[in-house]
Amino acid sequence: MNQAEHLLRTVADRLAAVPAGPATRPAEPAEPAGPGPGLGSGRSGAALALAVLAGDDPALRRAAHGHLAAAVRSPGAMRGGGLYSGAAAIAFAARTMVRAPGEYRTLLDALAPRLHRSAASRTAALRADLAAGNGLHAHTFDAVSGAAGLGRLLLALEPDGPALADLLAALVEFAEPGGGPLPRWWTAGGPGLPGADPEQPRGHLNLGLAHGIPGPLALLALARLHGVRVPGQDEAIESLAGWFAARRVPAGSAAGGFWPMTVRVEDEEAGRLPADGPRRAAWCYGTPGVARALFLAGAARGRADWRTAAVSALDETLCDPSTWNITGPGLCHGTGGLLLITHRMAADSGSAALAAHLPALAATVAADLDTALAADTPPAFLEGTAGAALALHTHTHAGTPPEAATPWDACLLLG
């Protein structure tokens, strides 16, 4: 067993660990990452990770099912919300765990009305924010809590359904011109904050794939790539992708080429790029996430220039690790997310330059994962060892036909 296989098995075994308990109660997998049903650090994320890592091991498959069953019984399991919480998290995990026709059908059918209500609620809140014109709230549109994440789930479950069509139509409205120097989708407050931010007193434009505009762009592009279209969708993709293409800090600048994490309202109105702002090379924020969204837009619209720009930007970022500003092996803001995006981009683009970075990146993730396991870092999906193991698994199993109808990293809006 090589190092990567050993690390993957260690994570799987920790996820599947069964605690001692009363003999009268059936044993269940230990709760590895919080009591809730969520994807990020709860039972649905554990079920998803185990299902991917299980391979042909029936014991791990049973443990994955046990986590999913525990998620259904968790407090808040049937609540609405974004993709990473409640019913949507359970539905995404179940959909990704399906290996045979009809598997988890009863559960998915029971969850469907709740998902429809969540999507309708987010869509209505987004339209209300747009109508008010005072800046949007990220939870109405982003990948983690908003319309973009829920839309990716609906694209997997009901691609031809009215819930997805209405959600996509709201994102088309979201991308329409604002009639002034700001687009309609500027965000009130600071990133992750409900109120004013001293650094961004009038609000900002969010460029993070987790919490910003790349999420809606990725969803609109993925829907088109899957044959799902609504009126104005192509124009919305062109508008959002064109904005990103024009907001990349040039490679010839003192800081090199990159996309900033955010743009202040004041800078957007003045036509300035934040050349000295904070940078990150992660899934949640930074050039890798923007590059993936722009690449998907280029694939959807047949724009080779966008695909080329995305590949070039990611390659430049990978060539300068001093600018990465990431910690640990996790998917959200660690090396696992960077490996996963680079793997997907290299495979989809055929770029030899990106492929050349993969061996070193994989070795870095393996080393970070080994350190995290030694420190007993929780096996959470988004920020812990489970997600890192999935990124490493995806890289080391390249070329293996996927078992799931929905790729596990669809919840990251990567595909």
Side-chain angles (χ1 to χ4, degrees), residues 1-9 366 369 392 396:
M1 182 181 293
N2 61 33
Q3 184 198 24
E5 291 172 344
H6 170 71
L7 293 170
L8 297 181
R9 185 70 206 196
L369 180 55
L392 192 59
T396 57

Side-chain angles (χ1 to χ4, degrees), residues 108-210:
L108 290 169
D109 286 345
L111 292 171
R114 300 175 189 276
L115 303 180
H116 298 160
R117 287 196 291 271
S118 292
S121 174
R122 286 294 189 269
T123 299
L126 173 58
R127 285 182 164 132
D129 273 1
L130 289 170
N134 297 318
L136 305 185
H137 297 87
H139 72 268
T140 65
F141 66 81
D142 74 5
V144 173
S145 302
L150 288 170
R152 185 61 186 91
L153 175 58
L154 291 171
L155 183 60
L157 292 174
E158 302 174 7
D160 299 321
L164 177 60
D166 190 47
L167 186 150
L168 292 174
L171 291 180
V172 167
E173 298 167 25
F174 163 99
E176 290 172 351
L182 292 178
R184 299 187 75 191
W185 41 263
W186 68 277
T187 307
L193 299 173
D197 180 346
E199 299 296 321
Q200 299 169 326
R202 294 180 52 209
H204 70 288
L205 293 89
N206 196 304
L207 281 74
L209 181 52

Side-chain angles (χ1 to χ4, degrees), residues 25 40 51 132 231 383 404:
R25 183 177 180 181
E383 297 184 16

Side-chain angles (χ1 to χ4, degrees), residues 40-397:
S41 60
R43 290 281 195 173
S44 293
L48 173 65
L50 261 177
V52 175
L53 298 173
D56 297 325
D57 188 336
L60 292 182
R61 285 285 298 167
R62 286 193 297 271
H65 176 79
H67 278 298
L68 189 66
V72 172
R73 296 193 298 271
S74 298
M78 295 298 109
R79 291 177 189 161
L83 177 58
Y84 279 72
S85 63
I90 294 171
F92 184 85
R95 168 66 180 180
T96 310
M97 291 167 66
V98 169
R99 297 292 183 272
E103 194 173 17
Y104 298 114
R105 188 71 263 160
T106 300
L107 173 61
L108 290 169
D109 286 345
L111 292 171
R114 300 175 189 276
L115 303 180
H116 298 160
R117 287 196 291 271
S118 292
S121 174
R122 286 294 189 269
T123 299
L126 173 58
R127 285 182 164 132
D129 273 1
L130 289 170
N134 297 318
L136 305 185
H137 297 87
H139 72 268
T140 65
F141 66 81
D142 74 5
V144 173
S145 302
L150 288 170
R152 185 61 186 91
L153 175 58
L154 291 171
L155 183 60
L157 292 174
E158 302 174 7
D160 299 321
L164 177 60
D166 190 47
L167 186 150
L168 292 174
L171 291 180
V172 167
E173 298 167 25
F174 163 99
E176 290 172 351
L182 292 178
R184 299 187 75 191
W185 41 263
W186 68 277
T187 307
L193 299 173
D197 180 346
E199 299 296 321
Q200 299 169 326
R202 294 180 52 209
H204 70 288
L205 293 89
N206 196 304
L207 281 74
L209 181 52
H211 300 296
I213 310 312
L217 174 59
L219 175 64
L220 289 164
L222 286 165
R224 198 182 193 287
L225 289 168
H226 282 79
V228 178
R229 301 182 67 175
V230 297
Q233 185 174 348
D234 287 349
E235 292 80 2
I237 293 171
E238 294 277 349
S239 174
L240 295 175
W243 188 90
F244 279 113
R247 296 310 184 280
R248 182 183 170 207
V249 176
S253 69
F258 69 99
W259 275 288
M261 294 166 61
T262 62
V263 174
R264 299 190 314 158
V265 162
E266 296 89 338
D267 290 334
E268 178 69 9
E269 288 178 333
R272 296 188 298 258
L273 291 176
D276 59 349
R279 299 170 63 175
R280 182 177 287 174
W283 169 73
C284 55
Y285 280 99
T287 293
V290 179
R292 182 57 177 171
L294 186 62
F295 184 89
L296 291 171
R301 295 293 296 130
R303 291 287 300 265
D305 56 333
W306 292 346
R307 298 195 300 272
T308 299
V311 168
S312 174
L314 181 57
D315 179 46
E316 289 179 17
T317 295
L318 293 168
C319 286
D320 188 2
S322 68
T323 65
W324 291 0
N325 191 26
I326 52 180
T327 57
L331 290 174
C332 184
H333 46 260
T335 53
L338 183 56
L339 170 63
L340 183 63
I341 291 175
T342 304
H343 174 89
R344 295 294 189 206
M345 290 281 283
D348 291 347
S349 68
S351 167
L354 293 185
H357 292 287
L358 290 171
L361 264 180
T364 299
V365 173
D368 289 346
L369 180 55
D370 192 35
T371 299
L373 289 170
D376 288 327
T377 300
F381 170 75
L382 198 54
E383 297 184 16
T385 58
L390 292 184
L392 192 59
H393 179 277
T394 297
H395 172 68
T396 57
H397 289 71

Side-chain angles (χ1 to χ4, degrees), residues 25-36:
R25 183 177 180 181
E28 295 176 358
E31 177 53 73

